Amino acid sequence: MRKDSVVVMVLILGLLASIGTAAPKPIRIGLQGPITGPWAYEGEMAVNSVQIVADQINEAGGVLGRPIEIVIGDDQGSPRQGALVAQRMVSEGVVAVISSYGSSVTEPSAAIYEEAELLNIAYGATAERLTERGLKFFFRTCFRDDRQGQFFASLVDHVLKVKRVAIIHDNTTFAKGLAEAAKRFLEESPTAELVFYDAITPGEKDFSPILTRMRTTAPEVIYFTGYYPEAGLILYQARNLGIDALFVGGNAAINDEFVNIAGLDVAQGSIVTQEPLPTDLPYPEARDFLTEYIERHGEAPSTPWPVYAADALKVIAAAIQATGSTDSRVLGDYLREGLQDLPGITGPISFDPSGDRAGAIYRAYVVDDLGQLVPY
Amino acid sequence: MEQPLLQVIGVRKAFGGLLAVNDVDFWVPEGQIASLIGPNGAGKTTVFNLITGIESPDAGKIMFAGRDITGCPPHVITRAGIARTFQTLRLFPNLTCLENVMAGQHVRTKAGLFSSVLRTSRQQEEERRIYEAARRCLDKVGLWHLRAELAKNLSYGDQRLLEIARALATEPSLLILDEPASGLNNVETARLMDLIRQIRDEGITILLIEHDMDVVMGISEWITVLDNGRKIGQGTPEDIQENEEVIVAYLGKEEEDFSWNSCN
Amino acid sequence: MLELFLEQLVNGLTVGSVYSLVALGYTMVYGVMRLINFAHGELFMLGSYLGFTLLVSTSIGKLGVVWGLVVVVLMAAGAMAVLGILIERAAYAPLRRSGRLAPVVSALGVSIFLQNAAMLIWGSRYRAYPVWAALDRRWQIGGVHITLMQGIILGVSIILMLLLYCMIQRTTLGAAIRATAIDQETARLMGIDVNAIIRFIFIIGPALGAVAGVMVGLYYRQLHFTMGWTYSLKAFTAAIMGGIGNIPGAMVGGMLLGILEMLGAGYISAAWKDVFVFIILIALLILRPTGLLGERVAEKV
Amino acid sequence: MEMVSEAKELPRRRLIYGVLYLLLLIFPFKAGPYWTDVATFFGIYVLLGLSLNIIVGEVGLFNMGHAAFYALGAYTTGILNTVWGIPTIWLLPVSGLVAGGFGYILTRPIIHLRGDYLLIVTIGLNEILRITLINDPWGLTGGPNGVLGIKRMRLGSLVINRPIHFYFLVLIVTTLVVVVLLRLQRSRIGRAWNYIREDEVAAEAMGIDVRSMKLLAFVLGAALAGIAGSIYATKMMIISPESFTFWESIVLFTIVILGGMGSIPGVIVGSAVMMVLPELLRDFMQYRMLFFGAAMVVMMVFRPQGLWPSKRWQLEMGRETEE
């Protein structure tokens, strides 16, 4: 008898205590990214970055008085896995998702989020067509490929002031999109002329046949929109074939490994068109963020993308705070019409009606004599 | 003399510069046991392959049951009624004996993709027929008790018998046996000869390629002799044993290659 | 125009001779064991990485270009030969009597294993061979650009292939290999130690692959753990083109593949190059079902 | 048919399979949408494995380019739906027909090639198709981006869009395919395929039209892969060439060999190994694929006949160990 009543008492007390001290239910926000697989380093940096912003928000009292909890989903950089993760995010009942890195993964995921009417914001998916389909719940904090292509065309016209341009891509979604955009804008250029346009196969090593053919068109600038492993080889082999045209890479083409592969003396002077690196962002938010990131992880993020993921969380938090709602429809409407120049790490954030981020910031960097990227 | 069931007329086949078969004419009378003999390299196997459609002749004609089968693919020739066994055994090693023999019925049945999937009553009836035919043929060679055994687990002699059963299952009018006695012991050979006679008695014409002269002379009713790609003799066993050219051809050969009585 | 073509031809032959060296490993294993050794490309890759490590972390490089390279190549080749034998023991020997396809899957497993082992050892980032100024020399002969490294690759490959060819055709060991390739059982009956022959094949193939790996590393300078797979597929294609199991066939097939790729990328479009190569391959096989030099082995009936 | 031991065993086996199937029917109601989705993709792989098993397992043809047919089905559905607005439910059979038709046209000239020559040619076909899809020759395939905006299937008023719908769609199709294959295995056609696998020359001498039978297997396998591709396309709503690489073909090939050639349960086990094992090894982090590769070797070395070989193989292996 007594034993039982003690048990009951304890239970009731426990229950009361748990109600009394119960933390407010957290707001769960999904982060879908390539945690493993070939882009694992991107996924890892995205998680780090988003966590920093989440912690900052929670320290400041959360959103609507509730803390933010990040639910991580690993899409491995594969479209099929992306669809699975999206399905899980939907069934886990998160209020919004930061998703994802890579257009081909983001696309099927976005389709599932659209069907489930769940707000999703991409941070590393730059294909133009993502926002050309009238998706209601898709936004992105990164910029579209065509803006970079446009930037390259204006770089050719106004800064480099050259006439003969060769463009090479590698037939991946991203590289081909960028190459096509650059081609489109170059064709409108009054002075510059596209003299060579072809694609290589990623993973191969010998590009001399295509370069030998390109040499006959005597380009002054080579714009390679693919990734750094091939970029390094192309530049090195071009020089061996006696091609001395200026080498310009898209935002995936040039990094320290590119310099390594091509060799410093060859790589020096190459130019890259890209979003400003986190270390070059002029905003106070960026400085704070970077300080925190370096403190936690020892070095700054090596690519631009993780910061866009962090900004996506800022956007979601701001929308929930402003509308007092976690309904994706309300949040989506707010992002389209209400949100104006939210101070993000990557600058002021607003969205146009299609879900694209308004404005664009691109920079040209050049490889200096130490192999570092410095503003051009 | 019987009507010829198979007629080979002026057939020629060359491999590269080598003339393997040169203007060979011969026939096989219906309802008899005929043999094709000759020293190694005489062109027997090539003639065989020409008849069964594995190779097609450069010149000449092959008539079977009044039909021109020259250059037809093997499966058409089998359908026309010629079945064969192989000198080097060619069973389906990982299938059961029953399944091996059922293969023979393939040409005698028709069920296609759709009737097999839908299991039409016609297809079911056909399956029963295939099974019954296979059973009869296995029974005939005395292997029914081994029906569920994999072919490769059979003894060598049984494998030879299984090949014959499989050939019989195609319901042939001409059965071609390529050295069926090779590798068999005396008891097995005797049993084989009985079996061959029994098959003949059921109205199936038999053409034999055989090294073992006891077998050839013991059961053949009609013999064709090849040498160097040419026919050098044809007739009853008695005719052949007296044929000068044949004797010269064989005596001229080395002992190990061929001898009349070495097999004893 | 002619200079351009000649230059492309040199490009094609350089790539092609690397394909040939790797294809030889494929074709010899196939000839003796009827096995498509999909893991062979990984030995090429490991050889390349090993050369890299030897050059970067030891003082071998100080021996000078010529002796330094000779030592590196020999060490890489030796190490890969040992690895080749180990792989044969572990993954293929137990499967010698298990049909044709089980060993292929086993080879794919080995391939995945070695790729990931390389990733764990050398990291998933790209590595670059050290710059060796002496090798960067290049000439322009009548408008044709040629680098020293291209010359080395072509020369070394051709010498190795000639040596191998003579060994196969002229020596007793070569005769034993040829006999084993025709019929293992008969070779065994004739007193040939078939196991020893197989072991020997797994020494020569990987060793040649390792030589190719080091040369590729020096020529392109860029290393990645996935590169073995790309070369594996190319070498297999080359071996098939020449007639798999046929040693001169692998040499011819590799060169032909290199030249076809050059023609495709240089005169049609780099994006369609592989389509061009495969269409030629398929057309070739429709006309000659056993490859360019593959002997017509008539099925014995 | 007479197989004495089998006759006794049959009721028990039927019961086991019946219970397992019942579990499959209940599964999505208990498992939640995520696991239902996982099961759906697993089912698509089983379907692909079964289709390849006809070619590799039953007939013994080396096909390492099966993803090409899978792609053909997916792109047929994608293109016909997005360009001409044909409802995807009709495209399910159409994709099968188109993939089967291409299977016929593509393999007809090469069907006579033996073993490894066929292997490289099928790899070549896979690569040719993939590169063509990427290069987007007539603006139909969307290049590397692929085809997007593929509509869901609609059955009357039911839109097949929830995980559970897809689960049952795949389950129904797979069940049908298994029934078809079981019946074929025990028919004149299925036996003819096995005869060809065992000894092509002997099969031909038995009067089997080897060429036509091989083509039939290729067409049927391609058509089933096309249907799997069609389901995949409506499930993903977007398809791109990177889902149909040579690597995908290798995975399918491995599924068939690992499971056991010519064995239907083998394909299911093989798919499970290829899909589930990497997930189970997740805890090993970067060592994951290292273990996976080693596991492939170990499985083949210890079970060269496959994890769940067809009955005949078991019979044979049992005998061999007795000897």
Side-chain angles (χ1 to χ4, degrees):
Chain A
M1 269 301 268
R2 268 188 69 181
K3 224 179 180 178
D4 283 357
S5 55
V6 170
V7 172
V8 171
M9 280 292 281
V10 170
L11 275 176
I12 291 172
L13 278 175
L15 202 64
L16 283 174
S18 71
I19 292 169
T21 61
K25 229 178 114 208
I27 294 177
R28 307 174 78 217
I29 292 170
L31 169 60
Q32 178 189 333
I35 312 298
T36 61
W39 310 112
Y41 63 96
E42 286 286 354
E44 190 192 324
M45 290 191 299
V47 170
N48 293 343
S49 303
V50 169
Q51 199 57 54
I52 288 173
V53 173
D55 291 348
Q56 283 170 349
I57 291 173
N58 290 343
E59 273 160 31
V63 179
L64 303 176
R66 293 161 65 186
I68 284 176
E69 184 191 325
I70 302 296
V71 179
I72 294 170
D74 176 13
D75 62 30
Q76 301 172 19
S78 121
R80 182 159 48 88
Q81 210 60 33
L84 277 172
V85 170
Q87 193 59 59
R88 195 171 67 196
M89 289 291 179
V90 170
S91 57
E92 292 238 332
V94 297
V95 302
V97 187
I98 303 164
S99 154
S100 177
Y101 176 79
S103 300
S104 57
V105 184
T106 304
E107 209 144 17
S109 307
I112 287 168
Y113 293 133
E114 187 73 15
E115 211 168 48
E117 306 200 329
L118 186 61
L119 176 68
N120 59 115
I121 304 182
Y123 60 92
T126 54
E128 292 157 43
R129 62 189 196 142
L130 273 165
T131 43
E132 285 168 355
R133 303 162 51 194
L135 295 176
K136 284 199 185 65
F137 297 89
F138 177 79
F139 294 84
R140 55 180 154 193
T141 48
C142 53
F143 301 104
R144 287 165 38 144
D145 287 336
D146 53 348
R147 314 259 166 95
Q148 189 184 165
Q150 189 176 19
F151 175 77
F152 170 74
S154 68
L155 186 75
V156 166
D157 279 352
H158 302 117
V159 182
L160 304 173
K161 295 195 169 62
V162 291
K163 296 206 170 55
R164 304 179 67 80
V165 182
I167 296 179
I168 302 175
H169 62 93
D170 69 1
N171 253 334
T172 56
T173 308
F174 158 71
K176 193 174 182 187
L178 175 54
E180 278 172 352
K183 182 181 172 191
R184 209 165 53 236
F185 286 107
L186 267 182
E187 277 161 0
E188 292 164 12
S189 155
T191 50
E193 183 198 353
L194 183 66
V195 295
F196 183 83
Y197 185 87
D198 200 352
I200 53 124
T201 310
E204 292 209 335
K205 288 190 183 299
D206 201 308
F207 307 110
S208 8
I210 176 176
L211 293 174
T212 309
R213 182 156 53 92
M214 185 190 74
R215 196 180 58 198
T216 59
T217 64
E220 294 165 277
V221 172
I222 310 166
Y223 190 39
F224 178 67
T225 63
Y227 295 81
Y228 62 89
E230 287 80 24
L233 285 174
I234 286 178
L235 176 57
Y236 177 67
Q237 289 171 19
R239 295 290 183 259
N240 268 343
L241 290 167
I243 301 167
D244 49 12
L246 178 64
F247 187 85
V248 182
N251 56 1
I254 294 187
N255 58 10
D256 47 345
E257 297 198 31
F258 160 82
V259 176
N260 224 346
I261 293 162
L264 180 56
D265 48 335
V266 172
Q268 214 184 101
S270 302
I271 293 174
V272 58
T273 59
Q274 69 172 35
E275 297 76 2
L277 286 170
T279 43
D280 291 324
L281 290 164
Y283 314 99
E285 289 78 8
R287 253 194 330 274
D288 293 349
F289 173 84
L290 265 186
T291 320
E292 180 70 21
Y293 195 103
I294 294 172
E295 192 171 304
R296 288 195 193 188
H297 304 288
E299 57 181 356
S302 61
T303 67
W305 312 109
V307 195
Y308 291 102
D311 266 353
L313 180 57
K314 286 199 168 191
V315 166
I316 294 168
I320 296 173
Q321 192 72 48
T323 58
S325 164
T326 54
D327 183 64
S328 285
R329 255 170 292 198
V330 177
L331 295 177
D333 287 344
Y334 173 77
L335 290 187
R336 237 174 236 109
E337 282 140 27
L339 187 81
Q340 274 303 324
D341 292 339
L342 176 77
I345 302 166
T346 57
I349 305 171
S350 323
F351 294 100
D352 68 14
S354 63
D356 268 322
R357 182 162 170 188
I361 319 154
Y362 279 93
R363 290 278 171 80
Y365 288 87
V366 65
V367 179
D368 71 4
D369 50 4
L370 295 170
Q372 303 293 316
L373 286 180
V374 294
Y376 185 64
Chain B
M1 207 189 71
E2 304 279 342
Q3 266 299 310
L5 179 66
L6 178 78
Q7 249 182 308
V8 174
I9 305 158
V11 162
R12 180 184 308 165
K13 177 78 186 174
F15 295 105
L18 184 79
L19 204 54
V21 176
N22 187 8
D23 267 328
V24 167
D25 285 291
F26 77 96
W27 69 89
V28 174
E30 189 162 4
Q32 295 197 358
I33 298 175
S35 292
L36 183 64
I37 63 170
N40 273 339
K44 293 172 306 212
T45 301
T46 308
V47 170
F48 238 65
N49 289 344
L50 292 174
I51 296 171
T52 50
I54 288 175
E55 319 257 11
S56 45
D58 300 335
K61 227 159 91 169
I62 298 168
M63 302 288 292
F64 175 70
R67 218 180 115 187
D68 186 357
I69 57 163
T70 322
C72 286
H75 63 270
V76 173
I77 288 174
T78 310
R79 188 163 299 146
I82 300 181
R84 69 169 297 183
T85 64
F86 293 86
Q87 181 182 348
T88 52
L89 285 164
R90 291 202 91 132
L91 289 161
F92 306 119
N94 296 312
L95 299 181
T96 63
C97 290
L98 184 65
E99 284 168 314
N100 263 280
V101 178
M102 284 164 103
Q105 277 284 303
H106 187 88
V107 281
R108 302 292 162 228
T109 47
K110 288 196 285 295
L113 193 62
F114 292 103
S115 53
S116 300
V117 169
L118 299 175
R119 295 234 159 126
T120 57
S121 56
R122 195 131 160 223
Q123 187 258 357
Q124 292 287 287
E125 173 57 35
E126 207 177 79
E127 283 293 305
R128 259 191 300 280
R129 246 177 40 223
I130 295 172
Y131 178 73
E132 282 308 321
R135 179 197 186 117
R136 268 198 315 275
C137 297
L138 272 175
D139 251 341
K140 193 172 294 168
V141 299
L143 290 179
W144 175 242
H145 62 290
L146 292 174
R147 61 194 173 279
E149 196 70 39
L150 293 185
K152 66 189 222 181
N153 295 334
L154 261 54
S155 71
Y156 191 77
D158 284 347
Q159 291 196 13
R160 285 246 173 250
L161 291 175
L162 184 60
E163 252 205 351
I164 294 175
R166 187 178 67 178
L168 282 176
T170 66
E171 298 170 15
S173 39
L174 173 66
L175 176 62
I176 306 185
L177 303 172
D178 196 349
E179 306 210 3
S182 78
L184 299 190
N185 61 31
N186 287 345
V187 180
E188 287 171 328
T189 306
R191 233 173 55 201
L192 176 76
M193 286 167 73
D194 280 345
L195 179 64
I196 292 175
R197 283 197 198 92
Q198 194 192 327
I199 293 169
R200 190 261 330 264
D201 292 344
E202 284 164 21
I204 296 172
T205 309
I206 291 182
L207 175 60
L208 213 58
I209 291 189
E210 188 51 73
H211 253 74
D212 188 333
M213 270 306 130
D214 284 345
V215 175
V216 171
M217 292 302 158
I219 64 174
S220 300
E221 294 151 308
W222 186 254
I223 297 177
T224 305
V225 189
L226 289 186
D227 186 32
N228 278 331
R230 288 181 315 112
K231 181 184 80 175
I232 56 172
Q234 176 162 284
T236 60
E238 297 75 34
D239 297 342
I240 292 300
Q241 268 162 330
E242 285 158 19
N243 184 314
E244 289 293 324
E245 203 178 346
V246 174
I247 293 167
V248 170
Y250 276 113
L251 291 181
K253 298 286 162 187
E254 289 168 36
E255 271 290 299
E256 65 212 324
D257 229 19
F258 187 87
S259 64
W260 290 103
N261 292 308
S262 66
C263 299
N264 286 349
Chain C
M1 236 24 238
L2 180 67
E3 288 109 51
L4 197 66
F5 179 78
L6 286 177
E7 192 167 334
Q8 296 280 34
L9 198 65
V10 172
N11 293 335
L13 286 174
T14 313
V15 191
S17 55
V18 172
Y19 293 159
S20 294
L21 283 184
V22 185
L24 279 171
Y26 255 108
T27 222
M28 286 195 298
V29 168
Y30 185 89
V32 173
M33 297 175 73
R34 299 282 177 275
L35 162 69
I36 308 162
N37 182 12
F38 275 116
H40 183 60
E42 311 307 341
L43 292 171
F44 157 86
M45 175 269 294
L46 287 173
S48 197
Y49 266 111
L50 201 62
F52 162 79
T53 300
L54 289 171
L55 281 177
V56 170
S57 342
T58 69
S59 49
I60 294 174
K62 295 201 182 74
L63 294 172
V65 174
V66 177
W67 288 110
L69 285 187
V70 168
V71 171
V72 166
V73 163
L74 286 181
M75 285 177 74
M80 286 312 112
V82 171
L83 189 59
I85 292 185
L86 289 179
I87 290 171
E88 198 275 329
R89 267 290 160 79
Y92 306 146
L95 289 169
R96 255 183 235 165
R97 297 187 181 280
S98 309
R100 296 280 314 277
L101 295 180
V104 172
V105 170
S106 187
L108 288 169
V110 172
S111 174
I112 293 173
F113 179 87
L114 293 180
Q115 253 184 55
N116 284 276
M119 185 192 81
L120 290 170
I121 298 171
W122 285 282
S124 60
R125 295 162 70 93
Y126 284 77
R127 293 303 188 103
Y129 260 61
V131 180
W132 220 328
L135 295 176
D136 263 351
R137 202 172 302 164
R138 54 173 180 264
W139 298 276
Q140 201 170 348
I141 307 162
V144 179
H145 296 255
I146 294 177
T147 66
L148 176 61
M149 205 49 222
Q150 282 183 320
I152 293 179
I153 290 180
L154 266 171
V156 171
S157 309
I158 289 170
I159 291 170
L160 285 177
M161 286 191 269
L162 284 177
L163 281 177
L164 182 70
Y165 184 76
C166 291
M167 203 259 317
I168 297 286
Q169 294 299 328
R170 303 269 165 82
T171 65
T172 353
L173 182 62
I177 293 176
R178 278 181 289 143
T180 314
I182 292 165
D183 188 338
Q184 271 197 31
E185 278 315 306
T186 313
R188 209 187 301 273
L189 291 177
M190 288 167 65
I192 294 172
D193 183 352
V194 171
N195 285 326
I197 297 291
I198 289 174
R199 241 173 287 135
F200 183 73
I201 292 295
F202 272 93
I203 290 174
I204 294 290
L208 289 177
V211 175
V214 175
M215 290 198 300
V216 160
L218 288 167
Y219 184 41
Y220 300 114
R221 311 242 315 278
Q222 175 227 55
L223 288 176
H224 196 242
F225 68 93
T226 54
M227 72 191 219
W229 186 246
T230 313
Y231 277 84
S232 210
L233 193 57
K234 304 262 185 201
F236 181 41
T237 310
I240 289 274
M241 268 188 178
I244 193 160
N246 181 323
I247 286 172
M251 302 176 188
V252 173
M255 294 291 183
L256 181 68
L257 181 62
I259 292 170
L260 282 177
E261 286 194 341
M262 170 280 283
L263 286 174
Y267 291 92
I268 301 173
S269 154
W272 289 98
K273 179 195 67 177
D274 285 348
V275 170
F276 171 74
V277 168
F278 277 120
I279 285 177
I280 302 266
L281 172 75
I282 292 172
L284 176 80
L285 289 181
I286 289 174
L287 296 175
R288 290 187 67 89
T290 52
L292 219 50
L293 301 186
E295 285 116 279
R296 269 192 102 91
V297 184
E299 190 93 7
K300 184 152 170 63
V301 182
Chain D
M1 264 195 203
E2 186 179 42
M3 295 262 172
V4 185
S5 58
E6 204 174 295
K8 234 186 284 172
E9 232 180 273
L10 209 58
R12 218 186 77 215
R13 269 215 274 142
R14 278 211 176 136
L15 188 72
I16 294 172
Y17 285 136
V19 169
L20 283 178
Y21 200 79
L22 210 64
L23 286 178
L24 285 180
L25 291 176
I26 301 168
F27 176 81
F29 298 102
K30 299 285 171 197
Y34 174 70
W35 287 105
T36 305
D37 251 1
V38 172
T40 302
F41 281 116
F42 172 66
I44 292 178
Y45 267 86
V46 170
L47 205 51
L48 287 167
L50 289 172
S51 69
L52 183 62
N53 188 41
I54 300 175
I55 301 167
V56 175
E58 300 289 350
V59 197
L61 297 169
F62 297 1
N63 174 7
M64 238 191 223
H66 204 54
F69 302 123
Y70 178 36
L72 277 167
Y75 270 86
T76 304
T77 298
I79 292 170
L80 293 184
N81 176 255
T82 53
V83 177
W84 285 293
I86 302 172
T88 37
I89 188 84
W90 299 356
L91 291 174
L92 191 66
V94 171
S95 300
L97 288 176
V98 170
F102 266 97
Y104 181 76
I105 296 166
L106 293 178
T107 49
R108 220 181 96 94
I110 56 165
I111 201 80
H112 63 286
L113 293 177
R114 274 170 200 280
D116 311 287
Y117 294 93
L118 188 64
L119 187 91
I120 190 77
V121 167
T122 51
I123 293 174
L125 289 179
N126 194 165
E127 284 300 279
I128 289 174
L129 185 73
R130 188 183 63 84
I131 296 168
T132 308
L133 292 177
I134 287 176
N135 287 339
D136 195 8
W138 301 282
L140 278 176
T141 67
N145 298 323
V147 179
L148 72 164
I150 302 163
K151 297 282 184 303
R152 301 289 203 187
M153 288 187 201
R154 196 180 274 279
L155 253 177
S157 60
L158 172 73
V159 180
I160 299 179
N161 59 359
R162 295 190 23 230
I164 195 164
H165 298 157
F166 275 99
Y167 178 86
F168 279 105
L169 175 69
V170 171
L171 186 64
I172 291 168
V173 174
T174 312
T175 308
L176 278 176
V177 168
V178 167
V179 170
V180 165
L181 292 184
L182 280 175
R183 290 184 162 196
L184 278 181
Q185 277 185 344
R186 304 200 152 206
S187 78
R188 177 175 173 269
I189 307 270
R191 282 193 304 268
W193 284 339
N194 291 351
Y195 299 144
I196 295 171
R197 182 189 67 205
E198 293 295 317
D199 189 329
E200 207 177 309
V201 175
E204 180 128 45
M206 283 303 109
I208 291 161
D209 185 353
V210 170
R211 214 181 128 80
S212 313
M213 279 296 166
K214 282 181 173 178
L215 271 173
L216 179 66
F218 251 112
V219 169
L220 197 62
L224 291 180
I227 288 172
S230 179
I231 296 175
Y232 180 78
T234 61
K235 168 78 195 155
M236 298 292 281
M237 295 187 283
I238 160 175
I239 43 170
S240 60
E242 66 190 88
S243 304
F244 310 104
T245 54
F246 174 43
W247 178 248
E248 204 70 17
S249 291
I250 287 188
V251 169
L252 296 177
F253 188 82
T254 308
I255 283 176
V256 173
I257 309 301
L258 214 52
M261 271 169 81
S263 155
I264 291 171
V267 166
I268 297 168
V269 173
S271 312
V273 168
M274 290 306 279
M275 285 199 73
V276 178
L277 194 61
E279 294 304 310
L280 291 181
L281 292 172
R282 202 155 259 279
D283 288 342
F284 294 101
M285 301 298 286
Q286 70 268 40
Y287 295 96
R288 181 164 71 122
M289 291 311 281
L290 189 79
F291 283 121
F292 183 64
M296 272 169 76
V297 176
V298 170
M299 281 187 280
M300 285 288 74
V301 167
F302 286 98
R303 287 192 74 84
Q305 75 275 36
L307 297 173
W308 189 322
S310 71
K311 218 152 175 259
R312 256 175 239 117
W313 264 97
Q314 275 173 324
L315 213 70
E316 169 204 352
M317 293 318 275
R319 289 256 160 60
E320 269 188 358
T321 47
E322 273 167 33
E323 272 165 18

